[in-house]
Amino acid sequence: MPSARTHEESFVFATSPADRLAKAGARAKAAGSGSVGITGGSHSVEFTVSGRVVDCDESATVLDSALDAGLSVPSSCSEGACGTCKSVLVSGEVEMKHAGGIRPKEIAAGKFLPCCSTPLTDIVVDR
């Protein structure tokens, strides 16, 4: 097949696990307390399935805070493009800056992407 008739795509994940750990360490250092996920203003995030409640600071996404706390949340791109982490927001408000990984009708139905969302209030997530 002629090379002019081929197309190749390459996908790169936004944040590697090592980078996530480095960010978590930086947040903990900035907090000065050694606790991951708190640097000042923070909101609680309750996960209904596990019953866990974690703190999510203003500089962290819901996904980062969950992972920092040791919770297992499916994710892939970490930038709001793939929809792998799609979850139901039971209560509260988030600011979501997605890249197309969620449809407007899903958002209207109460779904959000934890990978690109920061809480504006305390939230409850059905996950």
Side-chain angles (χ1 to χ4, degrees):
M1 176 180 298
S3 62
R5 295 195 52 140
T6 62
H7 176 76
E8 182 178 323
E9 291 185 14
S10 185
F11 297 93
V12 178
F13 295 119
T15 308
S16 71
D19 289 342
R20 276 192 190 285
L21 288 174
K23 283 183 185 178
R27 286 193 303 270
K29 187 175 181 180
S33 66
S35 62
V36 175
I38 306 170
T39 63
S42 68
H43 296 286
S44 69
V45 179
E46 178 184 344
F47 294 91
T48 60
V49 173
S50 68
R52 296 274 311 270
V53 178
V54 302
D55 285 321
C56 185
D57 75 32
E58 59 208 16
S59 67
T61 65
V62 174
L63 177 64
D64 283 338
S65 293
L67 296 175
D68 292 348
L71 293 171
S72 176
V73 177
S75 63
S76 188
C77 74
S78 300
E79 59 187 29
C82 71
T84 302
C85 65
K86 197 175 301 171
S87 302
V88 175
L89 184 62
V90 176
S91 67
E93 295 180 41
V94 296
E95 178 179 17
M96 181 170 51
K97 297 180 181 176
H98 67 89
I102 190 167
R103 296 179 181 143
K105 69 179 184 178
E106 292 173 313
I107 295 170
K111 295 185 179 182
F112 80 114
L113 300 173
C115 70
C116 58
S117 297
T118 54
L120 298 173
T121 63
D122 291 347
I123 64 173
V124 177
V125 179
D126 188 17
R127 176 160 291 273

